[in-house]
Amino acid sequence: MPDQLTKLAYQTMQQGKALLGLTHKEVSTRLMGLLAPDGTPKTVPVPPELMGRLKQSMDCLHERDWQEAEQGLYPASLLFDAPWLDWASRYPLVWLDMPSTWTRRSERNVRDLPQDVDPAAYPDYYLQNFHHQTDGYLSDHSAALYDLQVEILFNGTADPMRRRVLAPLLRGIKAFADRPAGQLRVLDVATGTGRTLRQIRAALPQAQLVGLDLSTAYLRQANKWLSQLPGELPQLVQGNGESMPFAEATFQGLTCVFLFHELPGDARQAVIDEAYRVLEPGGVVVLADSVQLADSPQFSAAMENFRRVFHEPYYRDYISDDIDGRMRQAGFEAVAAESHFMTRIWTARKPR
């Protein structure tokens, strides 16, 4: 069981990551204002009390993260699982990438993608520079920087927010407790660089894990990260979550993290419908994405500024969308949701 010294180390690490994220954003914003003022986004004023609410919510997230490790839902070592040396070596690349990002902002160019990309291979909504990041999701360069960029964006809370899918996933697959652990199959949709799969592996050491993503570049990065785990043989599949290349009733659990806010509404429904199709009756789906206006109105200014600072063309529609209703429309039952800091977690079950 984790001890108090480990808890102190965890708290200190999270405080350091938060300070790094805040400092990076403050310095980069000032530089952009000096060197590329045309690309500086016009944000809405942030109420003074909002920062206090965000800090309190972040502290609650960290305490929940610690408690679930203490309860044994996942090993305490997972709290510290990050490629620190690799990220340190890549951090200068984040700064070197900024001038091109500022240029795209200034020119309002959101279709600046590698020339060798075949547009016919991807849905049109995918072919753009989400977050204004270089190459969108379609290059090894983008994949190499993504995890570090997200850690900076969320002030070191990206992994703690991802880990909120673990408890409901573990509860859900108890419906198949009569089966050997090695026969349980869990699919992570839009697995990206594999961070969520890596965390699921720590909580489910024997289950068969499969990752699905549209980007072959991100799957290559996921293969690299996951292959570092002893004995791990990543099962990674290139494909679209709207039309998953799997048979019906193939999985007992399904997760999807940080995808829905980057999908138009009809694509969100298609992914949920596909999740229902590939789950075995009794299977559990766990979705994680941004909080919404209905559940977190106190963070509305933060949501609006996120949309303005980063190129997120479907975010405004997403934060008002009825995800609960979409899940019920697909056929799911026992739909439930809860919020942790800036992440909303939905859980539902496919009827037996």
Side-chain angles (χ1 to χ4, degrees):
M1 299 290 287
D3 56 27
Q4 290 304 306
L5 184 60
T6 306
K7 183 176 183 179
L8 178 61
Y10 171 67
Q11 292 172 333
T12 302
M13 179 191 71
Q14 290 300 141
Q15 290 169 0
K17 289 164 71 176
L19 180 61
L20 173 62
L22 290 168
T23 302
H24 176 94
K25 289 196 284 287
E26 177 67 20
V27 174
S28 62
T29 299
R30 289 179 179 273
L31 279 176
M32 181 169 59
L34 291 172
L35 303 177
D38 291 343
T40 304
K42 297 180 180 179
T43 56
V44 301
V46 175
E49 65 273 13
L50 176 59
M51 299 309 296
R53 289 175 175 171
L54 287 169
K55 174 66 166 57
Q56 182 181 24
S57 183
M58 183 187 294
D59 289 344
C60 289
L61 169 68
H62 293 153
E63 182 61 27
R64 180 69 170 266
D65 197 26
W66 170 258
Q67 288 176 358
E68 292 187 352
E70 193 172 39
Q71 293 163 10
L73 294 180
Y74 41 84
S77 59
L78 191 60
L79 302 176
F80 303 91
D81 181 38
W84 302 111
L85 292 178
D86 190 279
W87 282 354
S89 69
R90 298 185 192 201
Y91 183 62
L93 299 178
V94 174
W95 284 101
L96 292 173
D97 196 54
M98 283 185 185
S100 63
T101 300
W102 296 340
T103 298
R104 279 190 296 276
R105 286 180 185 272
S106 300
E107 296 176 351
R108 291 172 171 78
N109 181 3
V110 298
R111 298 276 179 171
D112 181 22
L113 301 175
Q115 294 183 354
D116 60 351
V117 170
D118 178 10
Y122 305 95
D124 183 66
Y125 65 76
Y126 192 75
L127 296 170
Q128 50 188 312
N129 303 90
F130 290 99
H131 315 154
H132 295 289
Q133 68 192 55
T134 299
D135 301 331
Y137 292 127
L138 296 169
S139 75
D140 293 324
H141 171 81
S142 171
L145 296 183
Y146 177 80
D147 285 330
L148 177 55
Q149 289 171 327
V150 171
E151 279 295 304
I152 293 170
L153 169 63
F154 288 118
N155 297 335
T157 63
D159 277 345
M161 288 193 292
R162 287 189 186 101
R163 281 193 286 272
R164 303 286 63 75
V165 306
L166 298 181
L169 175 64
L170 292 171
R171 287 195 301 267
I173 62 172
K174 285 182 180 178
F176 305 96
D178 58 331
R179 300 185 191 178
Q183 293 183 11
L184 297 177
R185 303 190 77 213
V186 176
L187 171 66
D188 184 43
V189 177
T191 199
T193 61
R195 290 297 297 169
T196 301
L197 269 183
R198 188 175 172 112
Q199 298 194 18
I200 294 173
R201 170 56 73 216
L204 291 171
Q206 294 178 290
Q208 300 178 43
L209 305 185
V210 181
L212 177 73
D213 202 272
L214 261 176
S215 173
T216 54
Y218 275 63
L219 289 174
R220 282 192 292 270
Q221 182 66 66
N223 184 72
K224 176 181 177 180
W225 289 141
L226 294 169
S227 296
Q228 294 174 355
L229 298 174
E232 188 69 25
L233 181 63
Q235 299 183 54
L236 303 172
V237 180
Q238 196 274 338
N240 191 337
E242 296 178 75
S243 181
M244 301 184 198
F246 307 110
E248 293 184 15
T250 304
F251 299 94
Q252 290 72 51
L254 184 147
T255 58
C256 182
V257 178
F258 300 157
L259 170 66
F260 275 31
H261 72 281
E262 294 186 342
L263 298 178
D266 57 348
R268 281 180 222 129
Q269 188 64 55
V271 172
I272 293 172
D273 291 344
E274 278 291 274
Y276 185 89
R277 182 185 67 81
V278 302
L279 275 174
E280 179 180 338
V284 61
V285 59
V286 187
L287 309 177
D289 214 296
S290 167
V291 291
Q292 297 182 298
L293 291 172
D295 59 81
S296 302
Q298 71 275 23
F299 297 149
S300 59
M303 291 184 229
E304 177 62 20
N305 285 338
F306 176 73
R307 182 187 69 81
R308 293 187 181 205
V309 172
F310 301 96
H311 177 62
E312 292 286 2
Y314 310 110
Y315 187 73
R316 175 181 282 178
D317 177 71
Y318 161 79
I319 59 177
S320 300
D321 199 7
D322 181 10
I323 303 300
D324 300 56
R326 289 189 181 280
M327 297 180 79
R328 294 189 182 96
Q329 178 181 327
F332 285 107
E333 64 181 16
V335 179
E338 58 184 23
S339 297
H340 302 279
F341 186 42
M342 298 306 292
T343 295
R344 185 77 168 163
I345 306 292
W346 286 269
T347 308
R349 182 177 64 248
K350 182 174 181 176
R352 286 191 179 275

